Amino acid sequence: MNARLALLGTVDPGVAESEVFRLALQHAVGELSALGGTIHLRGPMSMLRLVSSTGLPPALARSWEIINQEGPSAQARALYQGRGVWVPLESTSEDTAAPDLSWPGTGLAALPLFGGDRSIGALTVLAGDQGEPTAKQWDFLHDLTAWTEERMSQAAPPSTPSRTDLTGSRDRLRQALKEVSVGSWDWDIQGGELLWDEAAMELYGFRPEDYTARVENWMVCVHPDDLAPTLDAVDRAIRDHGVFEAEYRVRRLDGTYGWTQARARVTYHENGEPHRMIGVGWESNESRSARDALGRALRHMSDGFLAVDDEWRITFANLEAERTLGFSEEELFGQLLWELPATREVPGMESRCREAAAEERSVGFDVRMGDSGRRHHVRLVPGPDGRTLYFTDVTEKRQHEEERRASERAAVERAARMGELTTALAKATTSQDVVAAVARRVLPPFAAAGLLVQAVEGDRLHTVGADGYPEDFLATVDGHSRTSGEPSWDVIASGLPLFLSSVEEYTARYPALTGRPDRAEKQAWAFLPLTASGKTFGVCVVAFERSRRLSDEERTLLTTISALVAQALERARLYDAEHTRSRELQRSLLPRDLPDLPACTAAARYLPAGQGMDVGGDWYDIIPLSGGQVALVVGDVMGHGLPEAATMGRLRTAVHTLADLELPPDEIMSHLNDLVAGMGEESYATCLYALYDSTSRICSIARAGHPPPAVVHPDGTVHFPPLEADPPLGAAEPPFETVELTVPEGSLLVLYTDGLVESSKREMEEGMADLARLLHEAHQADPGTDMDLERLCDTLTAGLLPAESATTDDAALLVARLHALTGDRMASWSLPEDPRAAGQARRHVREQLVLWGLDDLIPTTELLASEMVGNVIRHARGPLRLRLLHGAELICEVFDGSLTMPRIRRATDTDEGGRGLQLITALSQRWGTRYTATGKCIWTEQALLAPENRPEPTSDPLDLMFLNTGDFTGDLDALLLGDEDR
């Protein structure tokens, strides 16, 4: 017989399992000259738990603490095959829990351990250099496992805790009170999930961060000597549908072991498969004679404690439960819990408790019992033989929690407002934006009632913005000169904040300003310096309607806010200055006043983009032309900024120049297109040019990428002429289309840019429909042709661009009422192409001016007509026509069939000609030429003077050129025809 087996045979039966395991491993390692060995026992959820090891360092032993018994490890193979197995180390390293560790040896020899007819564990040996055990060594290992199985069956049960009796002293009672901590647990037998409450987690020595809610957590904490009988009790309770009861040691957080008791029962699926095990556990270090002390501890514990049976009848109540429920223990015993007055007043308590009991889970909730207003937390813990309820007075605790939450909410809200303020200040572009952001996001959280922001300009303090102050008070503090003994100037001088908590404190510090708090209607102040780039340039005053002493935290927060406000305000002031200069430039490029013309009366509006947007390039203009014509122009340079405003100025100047040349609309658009195209690839503009002739009531329109105009007829109908949608200037290809409209007398022509009718929320077609509706409604409210155009402009802008809606584009609006020159104010004659034409022209002029009552203009007009007709007879060709227009001025026009334009030149003393155009220049207010469809027109314009302002007529119109014309008897026509201006 092997000597080692003979030695083991001398071991007395009844030794502890841990001693059996230790002896078996030591002799197995010694016999095989192995490096180490382990014993694992089968646990729940197909897990093997390490219960003993020898020869292995902790790092290697920990990796084998829990092994999946269905995995490929040597121990699992031995259990599965039911015999000893040899596994070389190369294939083992991948199956360990720590494959990255360096394992010595050559392989593992593992044999199953049996208890009765089922395997309960495995004995494993880590072989050294000798490799796989020999046949003799395998025989020894088989005999050794047989000895181990025999001694395990003979081992004494785990010793119970010490039986020291309790004397009822204070120390023992305090210790007994600790025993009341009962932990509940819920184990999913199929899935392996094990749920512990906080008490159970503390009982079984786990921190929350280490707890994984798996049954392996429980297996690790059980003492190795107690694991086998405890697992057997678990299996027996599941197999026999009985109650699980066990007393075993568990490892505490400090590494020591303590005794605990557990009691649970199993629930099953309809098919009989075990489902869950639900139970409770508690410390049992004291002897069973201490149970009375525990009862006394429960009886006198500060929390209310009730025990009820399966029918919810009370079986135990402590003193606090008696006080809470209003009955003695004798009165409560046997009572149905739901029939007590205190529980009947708690809504939903019965349903919640019954639901938790049906689901075999613990539940906790707050209730209010009785008329005291006290708040209790009720905790229900289901157990195998009934339920236990705990009543804890949490009134003060909940109050403290609510106060803490309120403080946290206030801090979160304040931080959120700080974030909102920072975001708002980052978005603020103007000084008023900054003031508005501070008023909206700083005053409410501090319960403040007033805000005043002032900045230094020169030696005076000017108000940037304010909120919550009377207007008369703001007028008194605006523009204060630099002086000492004034809080704002003192803060600016020192650069430090100043907090005044009451009117008394204010007047004591500044006696000369005693009346100011009353005028401001405030009683506490925080004067905060505004400092940026190392320079204090202003002050921010936060005021309160009542006396208030700010806390240190509030003062620090306000000081921090003032730094943010200073940075934002400094940036906004730079923007304001730049924006003001840009606006002034843009305004200077637009018409200051619209001309008052016989052909039209007009009103216009320019609306810049909303706050934060740069200047735009929208513009409009009215240009008076010859022959009762007027040009109406509106345009939009794409983009925003000074370059766009400058481009707008260049285009407006170009339009004026081209219009003065009396070019038709399509040619003007072609020249403008060339101008914009030459500015660069990214320069584009839209434009609409309308030329209205009051003598024919014809309006000629050309456009480039611009919205069509609206025409309002005298009857109130509104329509948009169908115009060809040419591309914008800079991208178009001439020629441009020109559309001619015959416009009734008194009609409105409405020109506008896209910013008036189009936005991110409104399509252009929708905006044009709104424009037509507003025009029609305005005409219905004020029918006829006497509508106030200024009021109409206000109506249109208010309806299309409400003040409360921010706009991202500027807009221009031009409304013109068109007037026709009536037939009695026009006269036209055809003239022959011979020298007689000059005399006929003078006769027609004389007769017509007499009819119009313009006798004082007859001599001058005769001379002008003679000169222009004479030039045509001598240097041009027919057909020849004379026309007079009596409007705000007297216009004399001569039409011919030549395209050659006259030009004025300087005549020397010896030249016989060249003075005709000089004569026309001297006698007329202005003159010019223009091309027509059949040739050209030369025209002059003379002012009509009121009768009281008309000069005395000269004796002869020739006195205008000659010193003495009284003795002149020559032929005037021959004289005029002798001039030459070509």
Side-chain angles (χ1 to χ4, degrees):
M1 182 178 183
N2 185 285
R4 291 183 183 276
L5 293 175
L7 182 61
L8 290 174
T10 62
V11 176
D12 295 330
V15 298
E17 284 184 345
S18 59
E19 184 66 13
V20 173
F21 298 155
R22 183 183 65 81
L23 290 172
L25 289 176
Q26 287 180 349
H27 285 283
V29 171
E31 181 68 16
L32 274 67
S33 299
L35 301 178
T38 63
I39 291 180
H40 289 78
L41 292 183
R42 187 195 296 265
M45 291 303 301
S46 303
M47 293 297 171
L48 291 172
R49 161 75 192 283
L50 177 66
V51 295
S52 185
S53 67
T54 186
L56 299 179
L60 296 181
R62 277 196 301 272
S63 67
W64 270 351
E65 195 168 35
I66 299 293
I67 294 177
N68 186 351
Q69 68 186 35
E70 296 178 356
S73 63
Q75 297 87 338
R77 296 181 188 181
L79 287 176
Y80 177 74
Q81 298 178 15
R83 58 180 179 82
V85 297
W86 166 254
V87 179
L89 195 58
E90 291 77 8
S91 61
T92 303
S93 61
E94 298 178 356
D95 304 329
T96 63
D100 55 335
L101 295 176
S102 177
W103 284 78
T106 56
L108 297 173
L111 296 92
L113 295 174
F114 289 89
D117 58 350
R118 59 189 296 268
S119 59
I120 60 173
L123 183 149
T124 309
V125 177
L126 176 62
D129 295 336
Q130 75 280 6
E132 182 179 358
T134 63
K136 184 178 180 180
Q137 290 173 332
W138 277 115
D139 292 338
F140 171 80
L141 290 176
H142 285 295
D143 293 339
L144 180 65
T145 56
W147 175 85
T148 304
E149 292 165 357
E150 180 184 8
R151 287 298 188 268
M152 286 177 64
S153 64
Q154 299 170 351
S159 59
T160 58
S162 61
R163 304 292 178 176
T164 305
D165 191 16
L166 293 178
T167 62
S169 64
R170 288 182 184 274
D171 293 339
R172 286 300 187 182
L173 182 59
R174 188 177 298 112
Q175 181 66 24
L177 284 171
K178 292 173 60 179
E179 301 297 330
V180 177
S181 177
V182 177
S184 60
W185 46 271
D186 185 343
W187 173 35
D188 182 354
I189 298 175
Q190 300 297 328
E193 184 183 38
L194 177 64
L195 300 179
W196 285 340
D197 62 9
E198 292 182 3
M201 203 173 298
E202 181 179 357
L203 177 67
Y204 295 120
F206 266 81
R207 296 182 179 89
E209 59 269 20
D210 299 330
Y211 177 58
T212 61
R214 303 295 300 174
V215 72
E216 291 84 359
N217 293 136
W218 174 78
M219 292 177 62
V220 169
C221 72
V222 178
H223 194 284
D225 288 349
D226 302 340
L227 183 61
T230 304
L231 293 176
D232 183 68
V234 171
D235 290 339
R236 187 166 56 251
I238 295 174
R239 186 172 58 253
D240 300 338
H241 291 232
V243 176
F244 164 70
E245 290 184 284
E247 190 170 18
Y248 51 90
R249 287 164 291 181
V250 297
R251 187 174 57 216
R252 306 179 191 276
L253 286 172
D254 59 3
T256 63
Y257 282 90
W259 284 94
T260 64
Q261 279 188 294
R263 182 178 175 83
R265 60 182 177 184
V266 183
T267 63
Y268 297 83
H269 289 293
E270 293 180 356
N271 59 6
E273 289 293 323
H275 178 212
R276 311 184 76 85
M277 178 178 283
I278 301 161
V280 294
W282 62 91
E283 288 187 354
S284 60
N285 283 328
E286 302 299 336
S287 67
R288 285 165 175 77
S289 62
R291 301 301 163 82
D292 292 340
L294 290 177
R296 290 193 298 272
L298 287 172
R299 178 75 176 156
H300 295 280
M301 67 185 291
S302 60
D303 292 344
F305 179 84
L306 280 179
V308 296
D309 59 17
D310 289 340
E311 297 181 355
W312 299 95
R313 296 190 179 276
I314 299 174
T315 59
F316 177 83
N318 69 353
L319 293 176
E320 181 62 21
E322 294 176 14
R323 186 189 66 79
T324 302
L325 299 176
F327 295 95
S328 65
E329 183 180 14
E330 291 76 12
E331 294 171 322
L332 291 172
F333 188 81
Q335 290 287 331
L336 191 64
L337 179 63
W338 320 122
E339 294 181 352
L340 299 175
T343 57
R344 283 202 304 266
E345 296 174 0
V346 180
M349 181 172 176
E350 179 179 358
S351 59
R352 295 170 74 174
C353 290
R354 288 187 182 277
E355 181 181 352
E359 296 177 0
E360 297 292 341
R361 61 180 176 84
S362 301
V363 66
F365 49 89
D366 286 2
V367 299
R368 294 187 184 274
M369 292 187 177
D371 300 329
S372 63
R374 305 293 293 178
R375 194 170 182 177
H376 291 75
H377 181 74
V378 178
R379 180 166 170 257
L380 170 70
V381 180
D385 299 324
R387 292 98 181 173
T388 56
L389 290 94
Y390 300 85
F391 297 86
T392 306
D393 191 331
V394 294
T395 305
E396 287 76 17
K397 180 180 179 181
R398 295 294 185 262
Q399 288 177 349
H400 294 158
E401 291 175 351
E402 185 61 34
E403 291 173 359
R404 185 181 70 255
R405 285 194 293 268
S407 176
E408 292 174 351
R409 285 195 300 269
V412 170
E413 182 179 356
R414 189 167 296 173
R417 287 188 177 272
M418 281 292 293
E420 293 174 358
L421 175 63
T422 302
T423 302
L425 291 177
K427 295 180 179 179
T429 53
T430 67
S431 300
Q432 294 305 314
D433 291 343
V434 174
V435 175
V438 176
R440 188 163 52 251
R441 291 177 173 82
V442 174
L443 298 188
F446 288 93
L451 174 70
L452 176 64
V453 179
Q454 293 184 299
V456 177
E457 296 180 11
D459 284 334
R460 293 187 177 275
L461 201 58
H462 289 280
T463 300
V464 177
D467 185 88
Y469 280 96
E471 291 296 332
D472 56 346
F473 171 77
L474 295 176
T476 61
V477 297
D478 190 18
H480 263 196
S481 59
R482 186 182 298 271
T483 179
S484 59
E486 203 277 338
S488 296
W489 281 113
D490 287 353
V491 168
I492 293 173
S494 65
L496 299 175
L498 173 63
F499 301 96
L500 302 175
S501 305
S502 64
V503 175
E504 293 76 17
E505 187 176 351
Y506 188 101
T507 55
R509 189 180 183 96
Y510 300 102
L513 304 176
T514 303
R516 181 176 289 185
D518 291 336
R519 293 195 300 273
E521 301 177 359
K522 302 295 182 288
Q523 297 188 16
W525 300 264
F527 292 86
L528 309 170
L530 298 176
T531 304
S533 302
K535 179 182 177 182
T536 302
F537 64 89
V539 62
C540 175
V541 185
V542 178
F544 305 86
E545 289 182 333
R546 295 182 178 85
S547 299
R548 177 176 178 180
R549 183 171 297 279
L550 297 171
S551 65
D552 292 341
E553 180 184 358
E554 291 174 323
R555 295 187 178 195
T556 301
L557 186 57
L558 282 173
T559 304
T560 303
I561 289 174
S562 69
L564 297 175
V565 174
Q567 296 292 335
L569 190 59
E570 180 72 5
R571 184 178 63 252
R573 293 175 72 202
L574 294 175
Y575 173 84
D576 287 343
E578 181 66 22
H579 197 63
T580 300
R581 288 192 292 270
S582 300
R583 293 288 189 207
E584 290 175 352
L585 171 62
Q586 186 181 42
R587 291 290 185 187
S588 67
L589 296 175
L590 291 173
R592 294 185 179 273
D593 298 300
L594 295 178
D596 187 11
L597 303 174
C600 71
T601 54
R605 293 289 185 273
Y606 171 77
L607 293 91
Q611 292 284 4
M613 298 301 296
D614 212 337
V615 294
D618 289 20
W619 57 283
Y620 59 87
D621 212 341
I622 293 182
I623 306 171
L625 301 176
S626 65
Q629 299 181 108
V630 61
L632 300 99
V633 195
V634 66
D636 181 5
V637 179
M638 296 183 183
H640 293 84
L642 286 178
E644 285 71 17
T647 300
M648 178 264 286
R650 295 175 62 184
L651 285 179
R652 180 168 176 253
T653 301
V655 170
H656 264 274
T657 302
L658 295 170
D660 285 341
L661 295 176
E662 306 269 6
L663 298 178
D666 57 333
E667 292 189 27
I668 289 180
M669 299 300 284
S670 296
H671 287 296
L672 292 177
N673 183 67
D674 294 340
L675 177 63
V676 175
M679 294 179 181
E681 294 181 357
E682 297 183 359
S683 295
Y684 299 100
T686 66
C687 183
L688 186 145
Y689 185 95
L691 178 63
Y692 174 66
D693 188 345
S694 62
T695 65
S696 62
R697 294 187 292 107
I698 292 179
C699 185
S700 303
I701 304 174
R703 66 167 180 161
H706 205 84
V711 179
V712 185
H713 286 195
D715 61 357
T717 59
V718 181
H719 77 283
F720 297 91
L723 305 177
E724 186 69 25
D726 289 315
L729 298 176
E733 292 291 338
F736 290 85
E737 181 189 19
T738 300
V739 175
E740 293 186 350
L741 308 173
T742 300
V743 183
E745 161 67 24
S747 297
L748 295 180
L749 186 64
V750 182
L751 310 183
Y752 53 92
T753 58
D754 59 353
L756 186 72
V757 295
E758 186 180 34
S759 68
S760 59
K761 299 180 180 179
R762 180 174 61 191
E763 296 294 333
M764 181 175 292
E765 290 75 13
E766 181 184 355
M768 292 170 61
D770 292 340
L771 173 62
R773 175 181 54 81
L774 291 172
L775 288 170
H776 182 69
E777 292 175 353
H779 184 274
Q780 287 183 323
D782 188 7
T785 59
D786 298 328
M787 185 190 306
D788 186 345
L789 297 186
E790 295 291 342
R791 188 168 67 247
L792 177 60
C793 285
D794 293 337
T795 300
L796 296 179
T797 55
L800 295 171
L801 299 175
E804 62 274 9
S805 63
T807 57
T808 58
D809 194 8
D810 51 347
L813 171 66
L814 177 62
V815 179
R817 176 175 289 113
L818 305 180
H819 303 292
L821 193 62
T822 58
D824 60 343
R825 292 295 184 122
M826 296 184 292
S828 178
W829 304 271
S830 296
L831 299 175
E833 298 181 44
D834 56 47
R836 293 176 302 150
Q840 294 181 21
R842 289 197 304 275
R843 184 177 70 253
H844 291 318
V845 167
R846 186 165 48 250
E847 293 172 353
Q848 188 63 46
L849 294 187
V850 169
L851 290 176
W852 285 341
L854 302 177
D855 302 68
D856 54 323
L857 295 179
I858 292 174
T860 306
T861 309
E862 284 184 354
L863 189 57
L864 291 172
S866 295
E867 173 60 27
M868 291 189 292
V869 171
N871 278 341
V872 171
I873 295 299
R874 186 173 184 86
H875 302 291
R877 66 176 183 269
L880 180 61
R881 188 164 60 93
L882 171 67
R883 186 170 73 165
L884 294 179
L885 303 177
H886 181 195
E889 297 86 11
L890 178 62
I891 299 173
C892 179
E893 299 175 326
V894 175
F895 298 84
D896 63 53
S898 173
L899 297 177
T900 304
M901 290 293 183
R903 60 184 180 86
I904 191 170
R905 60 186 176 87
R906 187 176 184 84
T908 64
D909 294 340
T910 60
D911 288 341
E912 295 183 0
R915 295 179 179 84
L917 293 182
Q918 294 180 18
L919 176 64
I920 292 175
T921 302
L923 296 180
S924 62
Q925 180 174 281
R926 64 185 186 120
W927 72 277
T929 61
R930 67 176 182 271
Y931 288 106
T932 66
T934 59
K936 69 175 181 296
C937 171
I938 307 174
W939 56 268
T940 64
E941 193 175 280
Q942 301 174 76
L944 299 180
L945 299 178
E948 62 272 14
N949 297 327
R950 292 173 182 170
E952 291 295 330
T954 59
S955 57
D956 195 306
L958 291 179
D959 289 342
L960 296 171
M961 289 189 63
F962 304 102
L963 294 177
N964 184 6
T965 60
D967 298 330
F968 181 75
T969 59
D971 185 357
L972 181 59
D973 293 337
L975 173 66
L976 295 175
L977 290 172
D979 199 2
E980 185 174 335
D981 283 300
R982 294 292 185 272

